[in-house]
Structure formats: structure tokens, C-alpha cells
Amino acid sequence: MATQQPPPSPSLQRQKQTIGVFEVVSKTGRHFVRRALANGHKVTLLPLDNSADDSKGSNISSNKDGANASEFVAHKAFSVAASLLLDVDVAVVSGAEDHVAASKAVAALVATIKADEKAKLKHVFLVSAAGAKSDAGFFARNLFADLAQAEMSLHDLAAQKQIKFTIFRPPTLIDTEKSNDVFVFDEAAQKNLQGLSNQVSFTALADAVLEIVETQPRFVNKVAAVNSKTVLDKSVSSGSDTRKAVYKVTARASPYILISLAILVAGIVVASKRRS
């Protein structure tokens, strides 16, 4: 009687992909690249340095974790992104640490996809921030305006092209080696969850993003929240709570602040006219 073979582990079932990564200078991006290579994916770096020579690259067969990689291509100029995207399955933009660069990356990526029908890119993953939410408050929305614009660009792209997107909104990012029980969930369900620390390490965030990239089609054309119940830094925890309180207050006070500013400006105009 033949014995039944156990099913393969989930990691072996995940399809190897070619992943284009923007903004790898970020802590999240660097760790994402290392883990993606360790898992056997091909990674193509897409920086935003227009001044560099786009004809040079570097091939690396292994990373510092000791894992063999099929290929690691580091292209120095963003001007070659159009041709590189022809061979990329998915693209990742780690924007939580550099809002402006992330917005530029998404804008260039969207323009490339719209201009080139041959690109095989099917899914874009953007690491955004909680402050980019529409209900985050007046000042928070201005602070994270670049990420909010990047999110809208991906929504528009999905409506015009057959390109999927997933947007991650992590809480406070902590630079630590401590373990973090990070989980990804529908952002709409966050208000019903209890005991969240609102702290995520850079490495844990990168691992969570890679997990979703490898297990598509989870969170397709959706916003995913990232959080943990592990407090990584108590001093930062209180600060995070304080920022939340400030956001709530500014959200409620925003209309009154705008009205007050309008009255002030009107008063200055009237006063200047009287003097003249």
C-alpha cells in the first residue's frame, strides 16, 4: 500500500517572480530586497537618480544572509525604468520613509505603464502611511500629501489599465532587531481590533509586504493595514498615542482654523484698502 506524501510547504508553493523595487535606500526597502533574494526571487532595482550612468549594473549571486539569488541587477538611473519594467512581474515602492521620492516613483511608473502596452507588470505594491488616509486630519493630510497623491494615482491606473495595486499603511516604524508579531489586515477592520501597539519594525514591515507579494491575490486593489500587539519602544508608544490625539483634535478643529484664517486675511485686505 502506497504511503501518502505530505503536501509541500507553503513557501515551496510560492511562484518565483521578478520584482522591481523602488527606493531601496530605505530601511524597509533594503530588508525587502535581502529577503526577496533569500526566497529565490529575481530583484531589479529602480532608483530615482537621473544623473547617474544608466548603462552600468551589478550582478550579485548571493546576499549577506548567504542565500543564493538568481540575479540581482542594480541599475543606476531611473531613465531606464521604462525598458526594465518590460520584464518585471510586480513593482514595490517603499514610500513610508521618503514621501516625495515615492510619489515621483509612482508617477513615473504610472506614466511608463500608460505609454507602453508591452510591459508585463501586473501588480504594484505601495508602502504608504496612516497619515495619507482621507480622515487623517488637515495637517496630517498636508504632511502626507505626496503619499496621498501616489495612492490616488494607483487607483486611477487600476481604473484605466488592468494593473492591480495593494497599498500598505503601517503605523510608527521602529528601528530595532526585536521580534514583532506583525499582521496585515483589512484597514476597515482596524477599529474593531484591540490591544494594537501601533508600532512595527522596519524589518517586520518588509517581511509582511513580501508575504503579501508572494501570496497574491490577497488585498487586490485594497488598502491593507499593518500592525502588531508587541510594544517595541515604550517611549515611542506614548508619542504615537499623542500624535493620534493631535490628529483627532486637528481634524475636528480644521474647519474653524480655516474660517479664522479667512477672517484674518479679509481683515488685512480691508485694512490695507482703508490705508490706501
Side-chain angles (χ1 to χ4, degrees), residues 32-220:
F32 178 90
V33 169
R34 288 197 297 267
R35 290 303 301 269
L37 288 171
N39 287 6
H41 300 285
K42 176 181 176 181
V43 177
T44 299
L45 306 187
L46 305 172
L48 286 170
D49 184 6
N50 288 315
S51 62
D53 180 9
D54 64 355
S55 63
K56 298 179 180 179
S58 61
N59 297 324
I60 303 176
S61 59
S62 64
N63 57 37
K64 73 175 189 178
D65 296 327
N68 292 326
S70 57
E71 188 177 2
F72 186 96
V73 185
H75 293 269
K76 294 184 178 181
F78 185 69
S79 59
V80 300
S83 61
L84 290 176
L85 286 176
L86 295 178
D87 297 318
V88 169
D89 299 310
V90 300
V92 177
V93 182
S94 180
E97 299 166 63
D98 192 335
H99 309 173
V100 176
S103 179
K104 290 181 179 179
V106 170
L109 186 149
V110 169
T112 299
I113 294 174
K114 289 182 177 180
D116 199 327
E117 299 293 338
K118 297 180 180 179
K120 70 174 185 177
L121 178 68
K122 298 300 181 184
H123 203 132
V124 180
F125 296 87
L126 169 64
V127 180
S128 184
K133 295 192 295 185
S134 58
D135 60 349
F138 176 76
F139 291 107
R141 286 287 291 177
N142 279 274
L143 181 63
F144 295 94
D146 294 300
L147 288 179
Q149 179 59 50
E151 290 187 11
M152 288 189 292
S153 297
L154 291 183
H155 279 278
D156 294 340
L157 179 65
Q160 299 175 30
K161 299 282 186 177
Q162 292 184 342
I163 302 294
K164 303 172 185 176
F165 69 85
T166 300
I167 296 171
F168 300 91
R169 287 187 182 146
T172 303
L173 294 173
I174 308 295
D175 190 5
T176 179
E177 296 298 328
K178 294 180 181 179
S179 60
N180 207 190
D181 58 338
V182 170
F183 52 97
V184 184
F185 52 95
D186 191 323
E187 191 182 48
Q190 185 164 4
K191 60 183 178 180
N192 298 321
L193 297 177
Q194 302 296 324
L196 297 179
S197 69
N198 296 309
Q199 295 183 10
V200 174
S201 68
F202 291 103
T203 54
L205 172 60
D207 290 340
V209 173
L210 182 59
E211 174 77 14
I212 302 304
V213 171
E214 292 180 334
T215 58
Q216 298 177 61
R218 299 170 65 192
F219 303 104
V220 174

Side-chain angles (χ1 to χ4, degrees), residues 4-10 13:
Q4 185 176 3
Q5 295 294 327
S9 63
Q13 294 178 348

